Coordinates of all heavy atoms in Angstrom, one line a residue:
I48 N 48.6 12.6 -27.3 CA 49.4 13.6 -27.8 C 48.8 14.2 -29.1 O 48.7 13.4 -30.0 CB 50.9 13.2 -28.0 CG1 51.5 12.8 -26.7 CG2 51.7 14.4 -28.6 CD1 52.9 12.1 -26.8
I49 N 48.4 15.5 -29.1 CA 47.9 16.1 -30.3 C 49.1 16.8 -30.9 O 49.7 17.8 -30.3 CB 46.8 17.1 -29.9 CG1 45.7 16.2 -29.2 CG2 46.3 17.8 -31.1 CD1 44.6 17.1 -28.5
L50 N 49.4 16.4 -32.1 CA 50.7 16.8 -32.7 C 50.5 17.5 -34.0 O 50.1 16.9 -35.0 CB 51.5 15.5 -32.9 CG 53.0 15.6 -33.4 CD1 53.8 16.5 -32.4 CD2 53.6 14.2 -33.6
D51 N 51.0 18.8 -34.0 CA 51.0 19.6 -35.3 C 52.3 19.1 -36.0 O 53.4 18.9 -35.5 CB 51.1 21.0 -35.0 CG 51.1 21.9 -36.2 OD1 50.9 21.3 -37.3 OD2 51.3 23.1 -36.1
L52 N 52.2 18.8 -37.4 CA 53.4 18.4 -38.1 C 54.4 19.5 -38.4 O 55.5 19.3 -38.5 CB 52.8 17.9 -39.5 CG 52.2 16.5 -39.5 CD1 52.0 16.0 -40.9 CD2 53.1 15.5 -38.8
N53 N 53.9 20.8 -38.5 CA 54.8 21.8 -38.8 C 55.0 22.9 -37.7 O 54.5 23.9 -37.6 CB 54.1 22.7 -40.0 CG 53.9 21.8 -41.2 OD1 54.8 21.1 -41.7 ND2 52.7 21.8 -41.7
L54 N 55.8 22.4 -36.7 CA 56.2 23.2 -35.6 C 57.3 24.2 -36.0 O 58.1 23.9 -36.9 CB 56.6 22.3 -34.4 CG 55.5 21.4 -33.8 CD1 56.1 20.4 -32.9 CD2 54.5 22.2 -33.2
I55 N 57.5 25.2 -35.3 CA 58.4 26.3 -35.6 C 59.8 25.8 -35.8 O 60.5 26.1 -36.7 CB 58.4 27.4 -34.6 CG1 57.0 28.1 -34.6 CG2 59.4 28.5 -34.8 CD1 56.8 29.1 -33.4
T56 N 60.3 25.0 -34.8 CA 61.7 24.7 -34.8 C 62.0 23.2 -35.2 O 63.1 22.7 -35.0 CB 62.2 24.9 -33.4 OG1 61.4 24.2 -32.4 CG2 62.3 26.3 -33.1
G57 N 61.0 22.5 -35.8 CA 61.2 21.1 -36.2 C 60.0 20.5 -36.8 O 58.9 21.1 -36.8
S58 N 60.2 19.2 -37.1 CA 59.1 18.5 -37.7 C 58.3 17.6 -36.7 O 58.9 16.9 -35.9 CB 59.6 17.5 -38.8 OG 58.7 16.6 -39.2
G59 N 57.0 17.6 -36.8 CA 56.1 16.8 -36.0 C 56.4 15.3 -36.3 O 56.3 14.4 -35.4
L60 N 56.8 15.0 -37.5 CA 57.1 13.6 -37.8 C 58.3 13.1 -37.0 O 58.4 11.9 -36.6 CB 57.3 13.4 -39.4 CG 56.1 13.5 -40.2 CD1 56.5 13.4 -41.7 CD2 55.0 12.5 -39.8
D61 N 59.2 14.0 -36.8 CA 60.5 13.5 -36.0 C 60.1 13.3 -34.6 O 60.6 12.5 -33.9 CB 61.5 14.6 -36.1 CG 62.2 14.7 -37.5 OD1 62.2 13.7 -38.2 OD2 62.8 15.8 -37.8
L62 N 59.1 14.2 -34.1 CA 58.6 13.9 -32.8 C 57.8 12.6 -32.6 O 58.0 11.9 -31.6 CB 57.7 15.1 -32.4 CG 58.4 16.4 -32.0 CD1 57.3 17.5 -31.8 CD2 59.2 16.3 -30.7
L63 N 57.1 12.3 -33.7 CA 56.4 11.0 -33.7 C 57.4 9.9 -33.7 O 57.2 8.8 -32.9 CB 55.6 10.9 -35.0 CG 54.7 9.6 -35.1 CD1 53.8 9.4 -34.0 CD2 53.9 9.8 -36.4
K64 N 58.5 9.9 -34.4 CA 59.5 8.9 -34.3 C 60.1 8.8 -32.9 O 60.3 7.7 -32.4 CB 60.7 9.2 -35.3 CG 60.3 9.2 -36.7 CD 61.4 9.6 -37.6 CE 61.0 9.6 -39.1 NZ 62.0 10.2 -40.0
Q65 N 60.3 10.0 -32.2 CA 60.8 10.0 -30.9 C 59.8 9.3 -29.9 O 60.2 8.6 -29.0 CB 61.0 11.4 -30.4 CG 61.5 11.6 -29.0 CD 61.7 13.1 -28.6 OE1 61.8 13.9 -29.5 NE2 61.6 13.4 -27.4
I66 N 58.5 9.6 -30.0 CA 57.5 9.0 -29.2 C 57.5 7.5 -29.4 O 57.5 6.8 -28.3 CB 56.1 9.5 -29.7 CG1 55.9 11.0 -29.3 CG2 54.9 8.7 -29.0 CD1 54.8 11.7 -30.0
K67 N 57.6 7.0 -30.6 CA 57.7 5.6 -30.8 C 59.0 4.9 -30.3 O 59.0 3.8 -29.8 CB 57.4 5.3 -32.3 CG 56.1 5.7 -32.8 CD 55.0 5.1 -31.9 CE 53.6 5.6 -32.3 NZ 52.5 5.0 -31.4
K68 N 60.1 5.7 -30.4 CA 61.4 5.2 -29.9 C 61.3 5.0 -28.4 O 61.9 4.1 -27.8 CB 62.5 6.1 -30.3 CG 63.8 5.7 -29.9 CD 64.9 6.7 -30.3 CE 66.3 6.3 -30.0 NZ 67.4 7.2 -30.4
N69 N 60.6 5.9 -27.7 CA 60.5 5.9 -26.3 C 59.5 4.8 -25.8 O 59.3 4.7 -24.6 CB 59.9 7.3 -25.8 CG 61.0 8.3 -25.9 OD1 62.2 8.1 -26.2 ND2 60.6 9.6 -25.6
H70 N 58.9 4.1 -26.7 CA 57.9 3.1 -26.4 C 56.7 3.7 -25.6 O 56.2 3.0 -24.7 CB 58.5 1.9 -25.7 CG 59.6 1.2 -26.4 ND1 59.4 0.5 -27.6 CD2 61.0 1.3 -26.2 CE1 60.6 0.1 -28.0 NE2 61.6 0.5 -27.2
S71 N 56.4 4.9 -25.9 CA 55.3 5.6 -25.2 C 54.0 4.9 -25.5 O 53.8 4.5 -26.7 CB 55.2 7.0 -25.6 OG 54.0 7.6 -25.1
R72 N 53.1 4.8 -24.6 CA 51.8 4.3 -24.7 C 50.8 5.3 -25.1 O 49.6 5.0 -25.1 CB 51.4 3.4 -23.5 CG 52.4 2.4 -23.2 CD 51.9 1.3 -22.2 NE 51.4 1.9 -20.9 CZ 50.8 1.2 -20.0 NH1 50.5 -0.1 -20.2 NH2 50.4 1.7 -18.9
A73 N 51.2 6.5 -25.3 CA 50.3 7.5 -25.6 C 49.7 7.4 -27.0 O 50.3 6.9 -28.0 CB 51.0 8.9 -25.6
G74 N 48.4 7.7 -27.1 CA 47.8 7.8 -28.4 C 48.2 9.1 -29.1 O 48.3 10.2 -28.4
V75 N 48.4 9.1 -30.4 CA 48.9 10.2 -31.1 C 47.9 10.7 -32.2 O 47.6 9.8 -33.1 CB 50.3 10.1 -31.7 CG1 50.8 11.2 -32.5 CG2 51.3 9.7 -30.7
I76 N 47.4 11.9 -32.2 CA 46.6 12.4 -33.2 C 47.3 13.6 -33.9 O 47.6 14.6 -33.3 CB 45.2 12.9 -32.7 CG1 44.5 11.7 -32.1 CG2 44.4 13.5 -33.8 CD1 43.1 12.1 -31.4
I77 N 47.6 13.4 -35.2 CA 48.3 14.4 -36.0 C 47.2 15.5 -36.4 O 46.1 15.1 -36.9 CB 49.0 13.9 -37.2 CG1 50.2 13.0 -36.8 CG2 49.4 15.0 -38.1 CD1 50.9 12.2 -37.9
I78 N 47.6 16.7 -36.2 CA 46.7 17.8 -36.8 C 47.6 18.6 -37.8 O 48.7 19.0 -37.4 CB 46.1 18.7 -35.8 CG1 47.2 19.3 -34.8 CG2 45.1 17.9 -34.9 CD1 46.6 20.3 -33.8
S79 N 47.1 18.8 -39.0 CA 48.0 19.5 -40.0 C 47.1 20.2 -41.1 O 46.1 19.7 -41.4 CB 48.9 18.5 -40.7 OG 49.6 19.0 -41.7
A80 N 47.6 21.3 -41.5 CA 47.0 22.0 -42.6 C 47.2 21.3 -44.0 O 46.6 21.6 -45.0 CB 47.5 23.4 -42.8
N81 N 48.1 20.3 -44.0 CA 48.5 19.6 -45.2 C 47.5 18.4 -45.3 O 47.6 17.5 -44.5 CB 50.0 19.1 -45.2 CG 50.4 18.5 -46.5 OD1 49.6 18.0 -47.2 ND2 51.7 18.7 -46.8
N82 N 46.7 18.4 -46.4 CA 45.8 17.3 -46.5 C 46.2 16.2 -47.6 O 45.3 15.5 -48.1 CB 44.3 17.8 -46.8 CG 44.2 18.5 -48.1 OD1 45.3 18.7 -48.7 ND2 43.1 18.9 -48.5
S83 N 47.4 16.2 -48.0 CA 47.9 15.3 -49.0 C 47.8 13.9 -48.5 O 48.2 13.6 -47.3 CB 49.3 15.7 -49.5 OG 50.2 15.3 -48.5
L84 N 47.5 13.0 -49.4 CA 47.4 11.6 -49.0 C 48.8 11.1 -48.6 O 48.9 10.2 -47.6 CB 46.9 10.7 -50.2 CG 46.8 9.3 -50.0 CD1 45.9 9.0 -48.8 CD2 46.4 8.5 -51.3
E85 N 49.8 11.6 -49.2 CA 51.2 11.1 -48.9 C 51.6 11.5 -47.5 O 52.1 10.6 -46.8 CB 52.2 11.8 -49.9 CG 53.6 11.4 -49.6 CD 54.6 12.0 -50.6 OE1 54.2 12.7 -51.5 OE2 55.9 11.9 -50.4
N86 N 51.2 12.7 -47.0 CA 51.5 13.0 -45.7 C 50.7 12.2 -44.6 O 51.2 11.8 -43.6 CB 51.2 14.6 -45.4 CG 52.4 15.4 -45.6 OD1 52.9 15.5 -46.7 ND2 52.8 16.1 -44.6
K87 N 49.4 12.0 -45.0 CA 48.6 11.2 -44.1 C 49.1 9.8 -43.9 O 49.3 9.3 -42.8 CB 47.2 11.2 -44.6 CG 46.4 12.5 -44.5 CD 45.0 12.3 -45.0 CE 44.2 13.7 -44.9 NZ 42.8 13.5 -45.5
L88 N 49.5 9.2 -45.1 CA 50.0 7.8 -45.0 C 51.3 7.8 -44.3 O 51.6 6.8 -43.5 CB 50.2 7.2 -46.4 CG 48.9 7.1 -47.2 CD1 49.2 6.6 -48.6 CD2 48.0 6.0 -46.5
E89 N 52.2 8.8 -44.5 CA 53.5 8.7 -43.8 C 53.3 8.8 -42.3 O 53.9 8.1 -41.5 CB 54.3 9.9 -44.2 CG 55.7 9.9 -43.7 CD 56.6 11.0 -44.1 OE1 56.1 11.9 -44.9 OE2 57.9 11.0 -43.9
G90 N 52.4 9.7 -41.8 CA 52.1 9.8 -40.4 C 51.5 8.6 -39.8 O 51.9 8.1 -38.7

Side-chain angles (χ1 to χ4, degrees):
I48 298 173
I49 299 166
L50 183 61
D51 183 8
L52 284 188
N53 300 308
L54 295 169
I55 295 173
T56 53
S58 166
L60 290 177
D61 289 336
L62 284 173
L63 181 56
K64 294 174 185 177
Q65 178 182 338
I66 291 166
K67 296 306 173 181
K68 183 179 179 181
N69 290 351
H70 303 291
S71 170
R72 302 197 300 172
V75 179
I76 297 178
I77 291 174
I78 55 175
S79 175
N81 191 329
N82 65 353
S83 73
L84 179 61
E85 182 180 350
N86 267 64
K87 289 182 180 179
L88 292 178
E89 185 177 9

